[in-house]
């Protein structure tokens, strides 16, 4: 099948080449330059008439708090849910409109319109995501527009756009320092050199490094991280040739070394000291490397037809030594016996397991085999590569403006897992390796080939804009269990194939100059992985609402309803009672709610503005049937139970003051209660995260066009609550934090 797909792609590219020649004779007088960077939403202005909901976050908004945590930036987007984990956003958990947030596995993640998750088809849990601090914009879009950017269309998509090559010499140096020895350094330099006959050569170099000692306490050890991110962009373009075109080559390298763990705290220990870490996590460490090559080409074949080609290659390796529970108890050792059980059971009733809790804290020594600490190195190698060709053809029929968009993408990705455990005794507060070699927990390779084709048509007539499209995904996946293969088991290699048609349609109507109406419907889809007995995740998604814009006031109210015919849950290594990568059918689910956003700018005088913004999301997400699942995050489900980690209410209010040489911004973020297990009615102790509000302030002073001095305070009142108990125990949000920085641009 793979060879068949490659042949199809070659044929389609050849067909595009024929198209080039067909239009060649008609494009000699074309003066339309190809677009160097295309935001998938079209940019902030285009969103106002887009037949679908979207949010555009520009570079100024990212720089407001000098954000390195994508979670903080996404607080400006309605309909997005975050499950916090480490407090620094090293591995975000992002969900859109009820799609599970767990490791951002149900949304399409992109950089410059290119799939960027390590293995979006074969293993979609995203353990890598680009650093938002180096981005020029972040776009989130939902509804019918998402069918262009599969495979995951159940919730929406997120695109991170890198900086364009500057037309003139531009340099930038910045340094930021903060609480817990936070340090961030960034250098940027770029230029464009004009040549003969309209040729231009441009480039930029961008280097970013940031680190912290960590805000958690662990026997005088650091609990922080170091991240490096180096990128280069090379560009050639000619806007006055017969066929105006642009060629971009983008190279990137990123690495991370962090003392991060999945191990949290018991509720009682959290109440005593929310930032402590148990001695059992002392050996936990995450290291990774990410390499990428992007080649992007755009050409105007006529004044009406633009073709774009994107080729990409990514390699991501990670090694994570992390606490994975107690060593396997002997057969017959149950919850009533005096031995360690599943770590989640221990945390659920910590008072019943004084020995186990004492070992975790380092207060009790290991005595039995089943009192040893399991530290597993979850080593993985990921790869993804692909080629995508798209075209946009603009034409007019009478008074109707038409745009036809079409594209084809061949994509291949894989992950190789090598999970090797070690057992440690807790001796006088220290982890001591027992010296015994253990069998691998996991040794396999998952891979997938996907051929995607899509076409859409947009027509604009007077005040009406209609977009309709269809995406087709043909996916072949395979998982090879090397341990089972060595034992010559029949199920050592498991395969699956899926072909799915994903239609969507959106409508926007400018009812009045200040009021627009929108509505849309699309099919939601998220593929199941090879070896899974589950069906792919499927839904029908509806949205409807209005946009208001008058002067300095804009407001959007958009309702949404996702009717799931099948919800799937995916087991991770940290989940108990299931094999990593196993998937479970959850059946029907209903996710509905509405999103409200508003921006209002009040001119206090000729040089002082008062900008105000409000973002609010209401969500009601419930299971549509009763069942018993082997997926520990679900368990026994009763029809009407609410989905885990989906708050009913969340909001952000921001108020600022903007002057010529200074600015001040205050923002309050509210996150409502979230269930951690499916349930309804009253919230049960230990099975939900509480609602909380944090207050942040950022001040900028710009004495001239070259300098920008920042002082930011986050979580001013040091509000710390349990934001998650998954996978192993309670974990806090980031505490009171101060950052001071300076940026010099030349």
């Amino acid at each position: 099948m793979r060879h068949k797909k490659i042949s199809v792609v070659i044929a389609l590219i050849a067909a595009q080449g024929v198209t080039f020649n067909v239009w060649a004779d008609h494009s000699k007088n074309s003066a339309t330059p190809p677009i160097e960077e295309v935001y998938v939403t079209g940019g902030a202005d285009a969103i106002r008439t887009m037949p679908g909901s979207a949010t555009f976050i520009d570079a100024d908004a990212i720089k407001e708090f000098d954000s390195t945590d994508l979670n903080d930036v996404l607080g400006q987007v309605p309909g997005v849910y975050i499950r916090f984990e480490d407090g620094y956003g090293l591995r975000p958990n992002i969900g859109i409109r009820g799609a599970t947030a767990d490791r951002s596995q149900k949304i399409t993640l992109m950089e410059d319109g290119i799939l960027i998750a390590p293995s979006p088809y074969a293993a979609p849990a995203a353990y890598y995501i680009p650093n938002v601090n180096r981005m020029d914009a972040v776009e989130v879009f939902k509804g019918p527009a998402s069918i262009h950017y599969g495979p995951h269309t159940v919730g929406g998509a997120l695109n991170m756009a890198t900086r364009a090559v500057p037309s003139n010499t531009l340099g930038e140096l910045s340094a930021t320092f903060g609480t817990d020895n936070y340090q961030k350094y960034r250098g940027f330099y770029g230029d464009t050199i004009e040549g003969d006959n309209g040729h231009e050569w441009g480039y930029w170099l961008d280097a970013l490094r940031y680190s912290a000692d960590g805000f958690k306490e662990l026997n005088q050890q650091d609990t922080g991280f170091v991240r490096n991110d180096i990128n280069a962009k090379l560009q050639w373009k000619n806007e006055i040739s017969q066929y105006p075109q642009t060629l971009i080559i983008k190279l990137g390298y990123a690495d991370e070394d962090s003392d991060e763990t999945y191990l949290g705290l018991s509720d009682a220990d959290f109440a005593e000291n929310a930032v402590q870490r148990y001695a059992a996590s002392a050996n936990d460490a995450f290291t990774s490397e990410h390499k990428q090559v992007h080649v992007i080409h755009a050409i105007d074949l006529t004044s009406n037809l633009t073709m774009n080609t994107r080729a990409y290659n990514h390699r991501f390796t990670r090694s994570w030594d992390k606490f994975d529970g107690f060593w396997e108890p002997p057969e017959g050792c149950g919850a009533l016996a005096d031995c360690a059980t599943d770590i989640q059971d221990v945390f659920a009733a910590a008072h019943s397991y004084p020995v186990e809790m004492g070992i975790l804290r380092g207060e009790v020594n290991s005595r039995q085999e089943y009192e040893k600490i399991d530290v597993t190195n979850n080593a993985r190698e990921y790869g993804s590569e692909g080629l995508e060709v798209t075209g946009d053809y603009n034409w007019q029929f009478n008074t109707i403006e038409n745009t036809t968009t079409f594209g084809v993408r061949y994509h291949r990705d894989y992950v190789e897992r090598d999970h090797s455990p070690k057992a440690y005794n807790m001796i006088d507060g220290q982890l001591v390796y027992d010296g015994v070699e253990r069998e691998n927990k996991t040794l396999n390779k998952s891979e997938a080939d996907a051929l995607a084709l899509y076409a859409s048509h947009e027509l604009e007539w007077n005040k009406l804009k209609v977009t309709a499209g269809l995406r087709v995904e043909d996916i072949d996946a395979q998982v090879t269990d090397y341990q089972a293969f060595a034992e010559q088991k029949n199920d050592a290699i498991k395969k699956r194939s899926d072909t799915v048609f994903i239609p969507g349609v959106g409508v926007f109507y400018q009812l009045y100059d200040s009021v627009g109406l929108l509505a849309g419907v699309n099919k939601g889809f998220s593929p199941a992985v090879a070896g899974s007995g589950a069906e792919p995740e499927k839904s029908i998604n509806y949205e409807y609402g209005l946009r208001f814009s008058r002067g300095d006031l804009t407001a959007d109210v958009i309702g949404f309803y996702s009717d799931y015919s099948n919800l799937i849950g995916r087991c991770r290594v940290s989940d108990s009672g299931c094999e990593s990568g196993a998937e479970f059918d959850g059946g029907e689910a209903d996710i509905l709610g509405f999103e409200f956003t508003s921006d209002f700018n009040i001119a206090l005088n000729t040089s002082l503005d008062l900008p105000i913004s409000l973002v609010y999301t209401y969500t009601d997400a419930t299971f549509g049937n009763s069942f018993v699942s082997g997926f520990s995050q679900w368990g026994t489900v009763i029809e009407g139970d609410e989905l885990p980690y989906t708050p009913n209410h969340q909001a952000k209010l921001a108020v600022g003051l903007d002057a010529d040489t200074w600015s001040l911004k205050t923002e309050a973020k509210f996150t409502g209660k979230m269930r951690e297990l499916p349930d309804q009615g009253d919230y049960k102790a230990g099975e939900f995260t509480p609602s909380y509000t944090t207050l942040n302030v950022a001040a900028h002073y710009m004495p001239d066009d070259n300098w920008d001095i920042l002082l930011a305070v986050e979580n001013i009142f040091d509000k710390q609550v349990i934001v998650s108990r998954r996978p192993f125990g309670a974990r806090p949000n980031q505490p009171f934090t101060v950052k001071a920085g300076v940026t010099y641009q030349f």
Side-chain angles (χ1 to χ4, degrees), residues 39-48 50 52-58 61-62 73-80 96-97 137-143 145 156-161 518 543 547 556 558 595-599 613-617 652:
Y39 296 126
V40 297
T41 62
D45 293 336
I47 286 174
R48 302 309 302 166
M50 185 176 175
S53 54
T55 302
F56 183 89
I57 302 171
D58 62 18
I62 297 172
V73 174
L74 292 178
Q76 306 172 55
V77 184
V80 172
I96 298 178
R97 288 185 176 172
V138 176
E139 304 170 284
V140 178
F141 49 99
K142 315 137 191 172
L158 184 153
N159 181 55
M160 307 175 76
L518 68 89
E543 66 175 6
R547 297 190 178 108
D556 295 358
I558 298 176
E595 304 163 352
F596 175 80
T597 57
S598 180
D599 292 281
S613 66
L614 175 63
V615 177
Y616 171 77
T617 305
K652 176 186 172 184

Side-chain angles (χ1 to χ4, degrees), residues 478-498:
Q478 174 177 302
V479 59
T480 303
D481 186 333
Y482 294 122
Q483 293 168 310
F485 190 82
E487 297 172 6
Q488 298 183 338
K489 293 184 178 180
N490 293 331
D491 60 349
I493 299 177
K494 299 177 182 178
K495 300 181 179 182
R496 74 174 296 149
S497 296
D498 292 289

